Amino acid sequence: MATAPAAADTTLSQDWAAEVRRLAESRDAVILAHNYQRPEIQDVADHTGDSLALSRLAAEVDASTIVFCGVHFMAETAKILSPEKTVLLPDLAAGCSLADTVTAEDVRAWRAEHPGAVVVAYVNTSAAVKAETDICCTSSNAADVVRSVPEDREILFLPDQFLGAHVKRVTGRENIHVWMGECHVHAGIDGHTLRERVAAEPDAELYVHPECGCATSALYLVGSGAVPQDRVKVLSTGGMLSAAEESKADKVLIATETGMLHQLRAANPVTAFEPVNPRAECHYMKMITAEKLLATLRDGTGEIRVDDDTAAKARRSVERMVAIGTPSRGRE
């Protein structure tokens, strides 16, 4: 009796995926899905990856319409890099707690307090904030972006305090001021939880996203000798995927949003990938559902618009970043 519902679910999933593909073709659309999306969304997408890798793909593909399964700032970035294309977000309410911690007005006021400083913005920011910054960065190239700034120039790094602290540590720069923003999901993966999991799994490797509140604890565990250095890696989501493909470990603990597990397990079915905090789920990312994706493809709802002046200024910040370093790879 237990097999019938599963078979029915499989048929329904196949029918839904086939309809998604049909509608995407008829709309001349490419579907992009962030690594934190629901598994069914990742599986039906043309490409999965991190936010900037997907935005760059959006600019490169021939399709006239981009359906971005992610959150609002990601779809905005795709629009900034592809102003001539239609960019659709299946739920316009899919925001970002980190992006919401800083506004364009905040950046202008902060810059006024530090004349001559260079503003470096993580891509997890709105188009309006990007337009007020000098250069953007991703979690994988943030250190290289900071190193590109002359050492005698102050840096205002925003909005993520944990990524900022990580960059300050690895570059050795003392003249970096860090905005005290945070992603509520990554901040919830704290040092106490991490230490408990590491103690319970002494042989497991550990991948930590630099946005996590536990990143400092992870490096402390290495420094104290509690965890061997070769077992701990601070990585972007794209870096995690690359490391997973090469890992020979029996088990890897993952400190990031749980949606990433789907890609890691597909990349390496032999290694067991487990979350440091199984409750680390972004409800904004999960707002993109199978039904909403289908509705967007059918009706063309959720169009992203960025005014020309804002887009032009934001585009310069993003393009400066791209010129410095390659953003973390997705699973293209």
Side-chain angles (χ1 to χ4, degrees):
M1 295 293 292
T3 58
D9 289 346
T10 300
T11 301
L12 181 63
S13 177
Q14 291 173 342
D15 290 346
W16 168 78
E19 181 65 1
V20 165
R21 300 312 321 159
R22 185 189 71 79
L23 289 170
E25 183 176 358
S26 68
R27 191 172 282 281
D28 187 30
V30 63
I31 302 171
L32 307 180
H34 189 270
N35 291 321
Y36 296 162
Q37 286 290 295
R38 297 169 182 267
E40 63 271 22
I41 301 295
Q42 294 188 42
D43 289 343
V44 81
D46 295 295
H47 305 279
T48 60
D50 71 5
S51 59
L52 194 69
L54 293 176
S55 293
R56 293 185 76 198
L57 265 172
E60 295 167 3
V61 297
D62 293 331
S64 61
T65 298
I66 307 299
V67 179
F68 208 120
C69 298
V71 294
H72 200 275
F73 80 81
M74 298 178 184
E76 274 192 334
T77 305
K79 183 64 177 178
I80 288 166
L81 293 177
S82 309
E84 76 288 355
K85 295 180 181 178
T86 299
V87 178
L88 304 177
L89 179 65
D91 190 329
L92 288 173
C96 172
S97 61
L98 175 58
D100 288 346
T101 64
V102 64
T103 66
E105 292 75 16
D106 291 330
V107 180
R108 289 192 289 268
W110 203 23
R111 190 192 284 274
E113 294 172 5
H114 299 272
V118 175
V119 180
V120 177
Y122 191 23
V123 291
N124 295 35
T125 47
S126 69
V129 166
K130 288 182 177 72
E132 296 293 335
T133 66
D134 296 302
I135 187 167
C136 290
C137 70
T138 67
S139 55
S140 65
N141 71 3
D144 288 335
V145 168
V146 165
R147 291 187 185 105
S148 75
V149 178
E151 292 189 4
D152 62 345
R153 297 283 299 277
E154 281 188 302
I155 293 175
L156 305 182
F157 188 96
L158 60 92
D160 189 86
Q161 59 178 303
F162 300 113
L163 180 59
H166 172 69
V167 169
K168 191 172 184 178
R169 184 167 51 243
V170 300
T171 62
R173 291 281 289 258
E174 292 299 325
N175 58 346
I176 300 179
H177 305 278
V178 179
W179 190 261
M180 298 303 287
E182 64 180 27
C183 161
H184 73 285
V185 176
H186 283 108
I189 308 174
D190 57 30
H192 175 73
T193 302
L194 178 70
R195 288 189 293 272
E196 282 189 341
R197 287 304 310 273
V198 168
E201 304 281 358
D203 297 322
E205 289 186 354
L206 177 64
Y207 297 173
V208 181
H209 195 283
E211 284 181 39
C212 283
C214 67
T216 300
S217 291
L219 296 174
Y220 172 79
L221 290 171
V222 170
S224 67
V227 179
Q229 185 171 355
D230 61 355
R231 281 177 45 212
V232 178
K233 298 178 174 65
V234 180
L235 301 164
S236 64
T237 55
M240 287 183 184
L241 191 56
S242 296
E245 290 172 340
E246 299 175 1
S247 180
K248 306 298 182 185
D250 292 329
K251 181 178 290 187
V252 179
L253 301 177
I254 304 299
T256 192
E257 208 273 352
T258 57
M260 188 66 203
L261 294 168
H262 184 66
Q263 286 290 316
L264 298 177
R265 289 165 177 165
N268 183 347
V270 176
T271 297
F273 295 94
E274 296 184 2
V276 167
N277 182 351
R279 297 182 300 279
E281 182 174 292
C282 176
H283 72 276
Y284 291 117
M285 283 287 184
K286 303 314 190 258
M287 288 174 71
I288 310 300
T289 63
E291 294 77 13
K292 290 176 183 176
L293 174 57
L294 204 61
T296 288
L297 286 166
R298 184 179 58 243
D299 305 326
T301 54
E303 184 170 358
I304 296 292
R305 301 182 187 278
V306 181
D307 71 80
D308 292 343
D309 183 57
T310 298
K313 291 177 181 176
R315 191 176 303 116
R316 286 196 293 269
S317 298
V318 174
E319 288 176 345
R320 286 174 188 146
M321 173 195 65
V322 172
I324 287 173
T326 302
S328 58
R329 64 183 275 279
R331 189 142 181 90
E332 286 89 64

mmCIF file of all heavy atoms in Angstrom, residues 39 220 253:
data_model
loop_
_atom_site.group_PDB
_atom_site.id
_atom_site.type_symbol
_atom_site.label_atom_id
_atom_site.label_comp_id
_atom_site.label_asym_id
_atom_site.label_seq_id
_atom_site.Cartn_x
_atom_site.Cartn_y
_atom_site.Cartn_z
ATOM 1 N N PRO A 39 14.681 21.398 -3.528
ATOM 2 C CA PRO A 39 15.278 20.411 -4.446
ATOM 3 C C PRO A 39 14.580 20.316 -5.796
ATOM 4 O O PRO A 39 15.240 20.236 -6.836
ATOM 5 C CB PRO A 39 15.160 19.093 -3.662
ATOM 6 C CG PRO A 39 15.199 19.510 -2.233
ATOM 7 C CD PRO A 39 14.456 20.824 -2.189
ATOM 8 N N TYR A 220 39.035 29.085 15.484
ATOM 9 C CA TYR A 220 39.571 28.902 16.838
ATOM 10 C C TYR A 220 39.837 27.422 17.113
ATOM 11 O O TYR A 220 40.866 27.063 17.690
ATOM 12 C CB TYR A 220 38.596 29.446 17.882
ATOM 13 C CG TYR A 220 39.004 29.107 19.306
ATOM 14 C CD1 TYR A 220 40.001 29.826 19.949
ATOM 15 C CD2 TYR A 220 38.407 28.040 19.984
ATOM 16 C CE1 TYR A 220 40.389 29.506 21.244
ATOM 17 C CE2 TYR A 220 38.791 27.704 21.274
ATOM 18 C CZ TYR A 220 39.783 28.447 21.905
ATOM 19 O OH TYR A 220 40.174 28.116 23.170
ATOM 20 N N LEU A 253 30.457 17.842 7.702
ATOM 21 C CA LEU A 253 29.470 18.700 8.346
ATOM 22 C C LEU A 253 29.421 20.029 7.599
ATOM 23 O O LEU A 253 30.468 20.611 7.299
ATOM 24 C CB LEU A 253 29.837 18.933 9.813
ATOM 25 C CG LEU A 253 29.951 17.681 10.686
ATOM 26 C CD1 LEU A 253 30.386 18.069 12.106
ATOM 27 C CD2 LEU A 253 28.632 16.922 10.726
#
